[in-house]
Amino acid sequence: MEVFAEKFADIKILRYSVPEFEKLELNQKIYIYYLSQAALCGRDILWDQNNRHNLAIRQVLENIYQSFSASRETEEFDQFEVFLKRVWFSSGIHHHYSTEKIPAGFSETFFDELIGKSDWTAFKTPSGQNFEILISQIKNIIFNPEKDAKRVNLESDKDLVYSSCNNYYQNVSQAEAEAFYSGLKAAAGAEPVSFGLNSTLVKENGKLIERVWKLNGKYGKAIEQIISWLDKAKGYAENEIQKKYIGHLIEYYTTGDLSKFDQYSIDWVKEQAGDVDFVNGFIEVYGDPLGIKGSWESIVNYKDQEATKRATILSENAQWFEDNSPVSPEFKKTEVRGVSAKVINVAILAGDCYPATPIGINLPNAEWIRETYGSKSVTIENITQAYFLDSMGNGMLEEFAGSAEEIERAKKYGYLAGNLHTDLHECLGHGSGKVLEGVNTDVLKNYYSTIEETRADLFALYYIMDEKLIKLGLVPSIEAAKAEFDAYLRNGLLTQLTRIESGKDIEESHMRNRQLIARWVYEAGKAQNVVEFVRSEEKTFVKINDYQELRILFGQLLKEIQRIKSEGDFEAARDLVENFGVKVDRQLHEEVLARFKKLDLAPYAGFLNPVYELKTWPCGTPNDVLISYDEDYTSQMLRYSKEFGFLPVEN
Ligand code: ZN
């Protein structure tokens, strides 16, 4: 399977593989299949939530794309195609990230030609609307920059609700919406439902009412489909508690009752035994400037056995790592417990997780449920892997790595080493060490998170080169550690600067911690030439001359950073962060930016889903699920519109 699929505008489309899907039990495969159908059925909901004209615009654009009879070999048609691809990517006419309206890139005259030379005989206008009126409305939205300019406006000098053209509020001002929901919250107890999460707030005849998203309510046609697939899935659930929470979810979709959603969330958090898991509902609230309305999304996933085993091995040996670290004895924990992390693979992405997707999940969002019942936090292995594979082919490595040997090592061990670094950082690093009695780490103030991330990273860097990891069977050879050292310094000293604007310093704490570590070991090892900058053909590279000595330096810095945390030494924290983590070498920064620009990489990425096929032949009952990866971007989008276009278009 090829990871890279295509590139347009500022976007690249990638594919993720679904590792070892074939090895899952038949019941699990069928369970995943039904859940993935439930996931795809909600697509139109998100489109309509993003803007009330999106579904009508999508229908018009797709009809043009499929029936335009004049030449497609023109610059303007190319632009039209790019526009359509961008609209698909964003589930609507606004950029998925900036939320600003996507510029058409072709003229209004050309749009008239597209309309004139396409076949509209089978096209149904929304609720019997006049075709000419519909087209003129759509033209106004596409070509008038003032009309529906931004999906989510967060500039507080304007009415946030009126100035945002999402579809969560109708004829309602910010003040009215805020008053409405703060009234509901004030009347609720200590365990409030997520008021307003699943409804459109509308003013009708001077009164505010909620149009609830439920069966027989708004979005009912799509929700009906979701329910029917969830119901089928329920029969293949792995255990009773999964069955129970699917039941709650169906009740919630049927009634719109938010307390059912809380019951679902509580049981969902409790369920840890199964391998297959999913999210399906109105979840994240970033699409609403008031942070109340949940955009629809779904992800179906299952446990990655190998990666989870890796994290478990580390966690079981946590005490050994603590006892043998270079940290002073008085700052070590006598009894340490590793955190066992769960690693998953996604099987389908949908709604607000498609095509752009997160690399981790941390839910539920309700604060009181998190406090009482905890939360699930997972990393998505196959998405991370797709990003890694893509990064190996996009030219970044060749541009910034100092030697052919370094490139070779990165390709061979980089992925494993990167994952192991993350595991060491998360499962052991953060949990190691102890703070002296009477010390409150709050005294490190704004430097706390940089120091804490530095500590966890150093723990990982120090141990990734330890013989112990080879003994535990986690790495094949010391070469993996070398690949991680190369990558860490290359990033900390060079490539992460591509994310900083010219003239600016580093602010984000993970970026600060990476430069702090890289700069510090560079300076500390200068006399012995452990790490050096080398210049070749006007370009700067990082060269590690002594990997063992570098490991010792990581250990020394770890010892000091642990002391700083354990004693709450604010001055030392400040000096380290300010001297090594914040300031950027201007000349080097400009050079890195120029080299990066030449690579012309797309800043945003999204993923195609695989295609699942349920086999029921010859006896009519499901007996296998097949998976394939050859569907291209345009085919997938058109198929989803055709097979999962359940909502009536209103305009
Ligand atoms: Zn961390």
Side-chain angles (χ1 to χ4, degrees):
M1 188 207 67
E2 193 70 49
V3 171
F4 178 81
E6 65 175 283
K7 179 173 181 266
F8 51 85
D10 55 354
I11 285 155
K12 64 185 163 193
I13 301 295
L14 308 176
R15 283 191 172 85
Y16 61 90
S17 69
V18 184
E20 315 219 298
F21 179 78
E22 293 78 3
K23 288 192 190 162
L24 293 172
E25 287 167 26
L26 178 60
N27 263 26
Q28 293 178 317
K29 286 198 244 182
I30 299 169
Y31 188 40
I32 288 175
Y33 175 80
Y34 286 140
L35 291 172
S36 75
Q37 292 296 108
L40 295 172
C41 288
R43 181 174 185 248
D44 282 0
I45 298 176
L46 179 74
W47 281 72
D48 190 73
Q49 288 178 318
N50 281 344
N51 182 274
R52 68 193 196 92
H53 304 292
N54 276 338
L55 289 171
I57 292 175
R58 189 182 80 198
Q59 281 198 354
V60 167
L61 297 180
E62 287 180 353
N63 190 65
I64 293 170
Y65 184 78
Q66 290 174 301
S67 70
F68 183 61
S69 57
S71 170
R72 291 170 181 242
E73 309 298 312
T74 63
E75 171 87 38
E76 283 205 297
F77 193 85
D78 282 350
Q79 291 300 322
F80 166 74
E81 196 175 345
V82 168
F83 180 66
L84 174 58
K85 285 180 175 178
R86 296 183 73 182
V87 171
W88 277 331
F89 190 88
S90 300
S91 302
I93 52 173
H94 299 92
H95 192 278
H96 75 290
Y97 192 79
S98 76
T99 82
E100 275 159 21
K101 202 160 64 178
I102 300 166
F106 52 89
S107 67
E108 215 170 320
T109 323
F110 183 66
F111 191 69
D112 291 335
E113 193 187 326
L114 290 169
I115 297 290
K117 292 177 180 165
S118 297
D119 180 2
W120 300 95
T121 42
F123 187 83
K124 285 194 198 73
T125 56
S127 44
Q129 198 187 7
N130 175 289
F131 182 72
E132 275 70 35
I133 294 175
L134 171 74
I135 297 300
S136 76
Q137 273 180 0
I138 286 179
K139 273 168 71 172
N140 184 35
I141 296 159
I142 295 178
F143 295 103
N144 175 0
E146 308 293 313
K147 172 77 181 152
D148 287 6
K150 201 152 189 205
R151 179 162 59 82
V152 188
N153 173 47
L154 295 170
E155 284 163 37
S156 55
D157 57 329
K158 291 186 196 135
D159 183 302
L160 297 182
V161 172
Y162 281 143
S163 60
S164 300
C165 64
N166 58 46
N167 197 15
Y168 294 125
Y169 303 91
Q170 281 166 23
N171 307 319
V172 178
S173 73
Q174 179 181 352
E176 286 169 328
E178 282 171 345
F180 184 84
Y181 287 112
S182 59
L184 291 178
K185 266 182 221 160
E191 298 182 349
V193 298
S194 305
F195 291 110
L197 186 72
N198 65 337
S199 66
T200 309
L201 187 64
V202 183
K203 190 153 77 176
E204 263 181 8
N205 306 321
K207 263 184 76 183
L208 291 177
I209 53 157
E210 284 189 312
R211 290 232 171 92
V212 179
W213 309 330
K214 59 171 185 176
L215 185 71
N216 302 322
K218 196 172 163 73
Y219 302 144
K221 291 281 177 229
I223 289 171
E224 184 183 6
Q225 297 290 328
I226 296 172
I227 291 174
S228 103
W229 289 110
L230 286 176
D231 200 44
K232 287 195 173 81
K234 204 171 143 199
Y236 290 88
E238 295 171 290
N239 53 50
E240 285 308 309
I241 186 158
Q242 284 181 351
K243 273 191 190 138
K244 194 170 152 215
Y245 74 65
I246 294 176
H248 289 318
L249 187 58
I250 290 175
E251 269 185 90
Y252 163 59
Y253 272 135
T254 306
T255 61
D257 179 353
L258 283 162
S259 71
K260 301 282 179 212
F261 181 60
D262 287 346
Q263 283 180 1
Y264 151 78
S265 300
I266 291 166
D267 284 328
W268 179 77
V269 167
K270 283 189 198 157
E271 199 282 312
Q272 305 277 356
D275 290 336
V276 180
D277 202 352
F278 72 97
V279 174
N280 184 314
F282 306 105
I283 309 291
E284 301 293 354
V285 294
Y286 307 112
D288 172 9
L290 304 186
I292 294 169
K293 307 291 174 189
S295 63
W296 191 88
E297 70 174 44
S298 183
I299 271 187
V300 180
N301 63 74
Y302 59 93
K303 200 191 268 180
D304 186 310
Q305 305 292 357
E306 273 309 304
T308 304
K309 216 183 285 167
R310 201 176 62 209
T312 310
I313 291 176
L314 286 180
S315 166
E316 282 167 359
N317 287 278
Q319 193 65 53
W320 184 92
F321 287 97
E322 185 75 358
D323 294 345
N324 291 279
S325 90
V327 162
S328 301
E330 68 268 35
F331 306 137
K332 284 186 186 178
K333 276 195 178 124
T334 39
E335 221 178 299
V336 63
R337 256 198 280 147
V339 179
S340 58
K342 191 173 146 186
V343 185
I344 61 165
N345 291 309
V346 288
I348 205 90
L349 305 165
D352 224 357
C353 297
Y354 169 85
T357 192
I359 56 169
I361 302 172
N362 191 339
L363 288 173
N365 285 329
E367 203 45 57
W368 69 267
I369 298 180
R370 297 173 72 89
E371 275 166 26
T372 317
Y373 301 95
S375 60
K376 277 188 193 171
S377 175
V378 295
T379 49
I380 308 178
E381 176 99 349
N382 56 343
I383 295 295
T384 326
Q385 187 191 26
Y387 277 123
F388 174 80
L389 291 172
D390 175 61
S391 77
M392 288 295 111
N394 65 14
M396 260 311 253
L397 181 64
E398 286 75 6
E399 176 61 40
F400 290 100
S403 68
E405 193 191 334
E406 193 178 323
I407 294 170
E408 180 73 7
R409 204 158 40 222
K411 289 193 167 165
K412 201 161 172 197
Y413 298 104
Y415 182 60
L416 170 72
N419 279 339
L420 207 49
H421 177 102
T422 307
D423 292 341
L424 286 161
H425 175 116
E426 300 291 349
C427 307
L428 302 178
H430 281 304
S432 74
K434 74 168 179 206
V435 174
L436 292 185
E437 240 178 77
V439 172
N440 186 336
T441 52
D442 285 354
V443 297
L444 298 179
K445 294 181 200 163
N446 52 323
Y447 299 110
Y448 175 78
S449 52
T450 301
I451 290 295
E452 182 54 22
E453 293 309 322
T454 303
R455 202 174 68 85
D457 261 0
L458 286 165
F459 201 92
L461 288 164
Y462 179 78
Y463 273 121
I464 202 161
M465 197 169 259
D466 202 296
E467 289 282 314
K468 180 81 175 175
L469 294 197
I470 300 176
K471 279 195 203 126
L472 290 172
L474 296 169
V475 281
S477 83
I478 196 121
E479 288 297 299
K482 285 187 178 176
E484 182 57 24
F485 285 10
D486 293 337
Y488 199 90
L489 293 199
R490 194 167 63 236
N491 185 39
L493 295 171
L494 300 174
T495 52
Q496 76 164 359
L497 296 177
T498 59
R499 289 156 59 192
I500 303 286
E501 271 177 63
S502 174
K504 296 248 167 79
D505 286 327
I506 303 178
E507 280 178 34
E508 201 273 325
S509 49
H510 289 84
M511 291 179 73
R512 282 184 168 187
N513 109 61
R514 291 184 202 121
Q515 179 172 294
L516 189 168
I517 292 173
R519 281 267 161 203
W520 189 91
V521 293
Y522 166 72
E523 296 290 342
K526 229 175 188 172
Q528 299 152 277
N529 203 24
V530 177
V531 179
E532 66 177 325
F533 284 107
V534 292
R535 300 267 305 162
S536 153
E537 293 168 30
E538 312 274 290
K539 291 176 180 177
T540 309
F541 298 94
V542 177
K543 186 165 175 244
I544 300 172
N545 294 313
D546 190 337
Y547 288 88
Q548 288 301 335
E549 199 55 44
L550 179 56
R551 182 189 184 215
I552 294 169
L553 292 175
F554 286 141
Q556 280 174 15
L557 185 57
L558 173 58
K559 187 175 180 206
E560 171 62 3
I561 295 281
Q562 182 62 56
R563 183 199 66 76
I564 290 171
K565 182 182 175 185
S566 296
E567 294 178 352
D569 187 343
F570 174 79
E571 277 79 25
R574 181 195 58 205
D575 291 349
L576 271 178
V577 176
E578 292 293 343
N579 291 338
F580 296 95
V582 178
K583 292 273 173 288
V584 174
D585 177 330
R586 295 283 164 232
Q587 209 180 339
L588 183 61
H589 188 198
E590 293 308 318
E591 180 201 312
V592 167
L593 289 177
R595 287 161 69 185
F596 181 65
K597 202 167 166 225
K598 273 198 193 140
L599 295 174
D600 191 26
L601 300 177
Y604 304 104
F607 290 87
L608 285 172
N609 280 318
V611 181
Y612 296 96
E613 191 193 338
L614 184 70
K615 288 278 164 200
T616 53
W617 192 85
C619 44
T621 51
N623 54 43
D624 203 2
V625 179
L626 304 182
I627 183 169
S628 62
Y629 299 97
D630 34 22
E631 192 170 39
D632 67 36
Y633 179 68
T634 298
S635 310
Q636 184 153 97
M637 288 297 178
L638 288 172
R639 182 171 66 85
Y640 283 180
S641 296
K642 190 163 163 251
E643 290 179 10
F644 303 99
F646 295 118
L647 291 188
V649 178
E650 298 158 16
N651 209 43

